[in-house]
């Protein structure tokens, strides 16, 4: 029986799943690898870590993390996405013993309290409205172990003219008010409100994506 997407008010990408791996590098000028590597560096992975990737899409980052883990030692990288078609592509292309994918909404995670060492997310939060951003962060806090890292790469207040142009064009071209929230700079506030430590803006890319590092105290 075909698996179905979970209901969410987030902007899911079932329709784009088959072409996402082709289009995404075009949108980001092939530079996503740059911040994916920065995320890996910040994770300081141990082979037995359990890592969760929120809004994983086709699972590129989930798989990069998984390659540094050892299934025999309990290491696992799990990607969740609300879009069943994205998870279908992710499983087909990237599932391994240390790399698993599940259809789930970030605002309602099917995991035990304190079950992950780290949580990452790339370009997911600008797909959900502010109340779901908050719910997803509350859920991330719940499933993260004390001391665990939260690493988010997402659209934020533009820092260059090009960044300003790209983010405002995206906001109107994709008719996505959730992008407007990110541009106004809500991410640090909502991360903090979910009880994580004050997010450190570690790096910015292309003038409109910021990499935030925070922790569950
Ligand atoms: C721009 S894509 C990012 C995919 C991947 N993380 C990347 O960096 O390429 C955003 C993803 O968020 C997913 N999404 C939207 N709302 C969601 C929700 N409430 N819970 C989980 N995933 C959601 C979409 O289906 C989509 O795959």
């Amino acid at each position: 029986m075909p698996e179905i997407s979970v209901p969410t008010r987030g902007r899911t990408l079932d329709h784009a799943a088959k072409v996402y791996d082709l289009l995404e590098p075009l949108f980001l000028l092939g530079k996503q690898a740059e911040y994916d590597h920065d995320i890996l560096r910040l994770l300081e992975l141990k082979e037995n870590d359990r890592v969760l990737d929120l809004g994983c899409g086709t699972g590129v980052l989930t798989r990069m993390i998984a390659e540094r883990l050892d299934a025999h030692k309990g290491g696992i990288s799990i990607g969740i996405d609300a879009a069943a078609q994205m998870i279908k592509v992710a499983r087909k292309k990237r599932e391994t013993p240390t790399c698993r994918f599940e259809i789930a909404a970030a605002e309602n995670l099917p995991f035990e309290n304190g079950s992950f060492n780290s949580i990452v997310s790339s370009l997911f939060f600008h797909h959900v409205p502010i109340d779901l951003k908050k719910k997803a962060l509350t859920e991330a806090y719940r499933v993260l172990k004390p001391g665990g890292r939260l690493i988010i790469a997402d659209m934020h207040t533009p820092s260059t003219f090009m960044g300003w142009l790209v983010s405002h064009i995206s906001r109107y071209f994709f008719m996505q008010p959730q992008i407007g929230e990110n541009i106004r700079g809500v991410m640090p506030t909502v991360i903090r409100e979910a009880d994580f430590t004050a997010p450190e803006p570690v790096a910015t890319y292309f003038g409109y994506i910021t990499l935030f590092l925070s922790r569950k105290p």
Side-chain angles (χ1 to χ4, degrees):
M1 212 164 81
E3 291 191 282
I4 52 167
S5 301
V6 289
T8 175
R9 284 180 291 107
R11 170 84 53 113
T12 50
L13 292 182
D14 275 310
H15 57 284
K18 285 196 177 129
V19 290
Y20 188 81
D21 282 352
L22 289 174
L23 292 185
E24 212 262 352
L26 292 180
F27 278 123
L28 289 175
L29 305 174
K31 284 196 170 179
Q32 185 174 355
E34 196 178 317
Y35 73 74
D36 279 346
H37 280 106
D38 286 342
I39 292 175
L40 282 178
R41 184 176 50 76
L42 290 175
L43 278 170
E44 298 185 81
L45 291 167
K46 292 190 284 304
E47 286 179 323
N48 61 349
D49 273 351
R50 290 175 52 84
V51 183
L52 179 63
D53 181 3
L54 302 176
C56 65
T58 56
V60 173
L61 175 62
T62 326
R63 174 64 183 266
M64 283 174 78
I65 295 166
E67 280 166 9
R68 277 123 181 115
L69 304 175
D70 184 343
H72 299 292
K73 294 181 180 167
I76 186 96
S77 175
I78 300 179
I80 65 103
D81 201 288
Q85 293 306 315
M86 280 293 202
I87 293 298
K88 192 174 168 190
V89 173
R91 283 181 179 149
K92 193 168 163 201
K93 292 174 88 166
R94 308 206 160 90
E95 200 156 62
T96 68
T98 53
C99 192
R100 262 187 20 223
F101 297 96
E102 295 189 21
I103 303 167
E107 62 271 24
N108 189 16
L109 293 172
F111 304 110
E112 303 273 314
N113 295 354
S115 50
F116 291 95
N117 299 90
S118 300
I119 297 183
V120 300
S121 161
S122 154
L123 301 181
F124 155 70
F125 278 93
H126 72 271
H127 275 244
V128 290
I130 188 92
D131 61 313
L132 294 192
K133 286 179 173 62
K134 291 180 181 179
K135 277 192 181 160
L137 286 162
T138 303
E139 278 291 83
Y141 188 92
R142 180 182 68 74
V143 303
L144 193 57
K145 293 183 183 178
R149 292 171 169 88
L150 173 74
I151 302 170
I152 294 176
D154 220 305
M155 298 180 77
H156 186 49
T157 315
S159 57
T160 62
F161 176 68
M162 274 314 286
W164 182 91
L165 206 59
V166 171
S167 37
H168 281 84
I169 288 173
S170 313
R171 186 251 175 274
Y172 289 102
F173 180 76
F174 295 115
M175 291 185 284
Q176 213 163 311
Q178 304 92 322
I179 292 179
E181 298 165 0
N182 284 55
I183 297 173
R184 288 196 297 279
V186 301
M187 286 309 297
T189 309
V190 289
I191 293 170
R192 195 72 192 89
E193 280 174 2
D195 285 341
F196 288 98
T197 59
E200 183 191 340
V202 180
T204 54
Y205 310 86
F206 328 115
Y208 71 100
I209 293 170
T210 300
L211 183 59
F212 291 107
L213 169 66
S214 188
R215 279 182 192 268
K216 176 171 175 172

